[in-house]
Amino acid sequence: MTVHSFTSLVASANEVLAHPRRETTIGTGNGSREASPRFEVYHSAPSLCSFKVRAVLFERGIPFRSHDMNIMPVGGGTPENYRPEYVRMRLQGAPNARLVDGYTGASSVTTEGFDPCVVPTLVDHEKQAVVVDSANICEYLDREWAEGEPLMPEATADEVRAQVDRVDRAPHVAALYGAHPDSDNRPAALRKNIKDVHGRKIAAVEAMMAEAGDDVELQAAYRAKITKEASADKFVYDADSMRAAHRAMDEHVGALEAQLEGHGESWVLGDAFTLADIMWTNSLYRLKWLGMGHFWEQGPDRPRVVEYAEHAFERPSFRRAVIGWPGAYFPSPHVKEFSGPMAFVKFAWHMMRRLPI
């Protein structure tokens, strides 16, 4: 990709995504600002994969230009991650990838294929690169940023990647969009707003296909997205599939208990905080918010996960990237930060600020 085409792609995406209340440059922890930082990050407040990337940015103190995209517009508008300009740019990050062709309840590119219409996406202006897939983005940022301690030390890189992959393959997406057929503990506001979401997504993609005209690459991207969402719609309404997804999440937490018990240290791989901990922290908090904290909080079977979650949720980078990020989570009775009457008031205020100007 030439410098000219790279610049044009990014500029086109930025033009249609510009929103003064959701576009901001974020500096390091001392409050500094850069007019044109090296990295631009296209993410969304409530996206689990976006949480991971934001946590890396804050943990490493990396300045970045934030594009907080509206991926589930109120009132049925077009998700910004479906806009042709954004999808064209994102496709440059995976030019030869297998496009998404089904749904297993996870968000891993390894298992699902590449979805051209999701977040996050990273732009590196210094290297004229578009980087996709949250696991790749996190590792890329950690490798490229020279200041501070790395989250993937060379000596434990393979072990870190194995943990990242484990978290990536867990069916977090199914747990969010689908109900357990016997006991749906998800927050009421989520259940209401997520209803029939896959059909709404398909309708929005079909509208974008009409805009794409005879652009072969875009049309292929949109067809792949429709295939995924149609498969997802069948999955989340299938009782056996959802029971299996919940069993997988229970086993997922059990694997963390065994990992922590194996060495007795504070973090996933020992006494050093790594990228593995960023992934696991976000995984556990998402489960707790969804009402699945019982996988480790009820009974004496997983005491190490209980201890781990308590201090991992207090990590400053996690609190900035997730707890304190406007609009990250619907109100939920299962987590203290998003429960109570004021949680609804605060969330409504954040949603109002996400609407078109």
Side-chain angles (χ1 to χ4, degrees), residues 58-117:
F58 285 121
E59 183 70 31
R60 294 298 312 273
I62 304 174
F64 65 101
R65 180 67 177 169
S66 166
H67 301 270
D68 189 345
M69 297 167 63
N70 196 344
I71 62 174
M72 292 187 70
V74 176
T78 300
E80 291 175 336
N81 48 307
Y82 295 177
R83 295 297 310 169
E85 297 85 354
Y86 172 75
V87 176
R88 284 194 188 96
M89 180 184 71
R90 183 170 163 79
L91 283 165
Q92 296 305 307
N96 301 308
R98 171 179 66 89
L99 293 178
V100 63
D101 53 12
Y103 183 87
T104 69
S107 59
S108 171
V109 172
T110 304
T111 60
E112 315 300 296
F114 172 64
D115 186 339
C117 306

Side-chain angles (χ1 to χ4, degrees), residues 178-186 191 243 246 290-292 294:
H180 191 291
D182 307 315
S183 178
D184 186 4
N185 295 324
R186 296 175 304 162
R191 295 199 304 268
R243 288 191 182 97
H246 278 248
L290 285 169
M292 299 180 196
H294 59 271

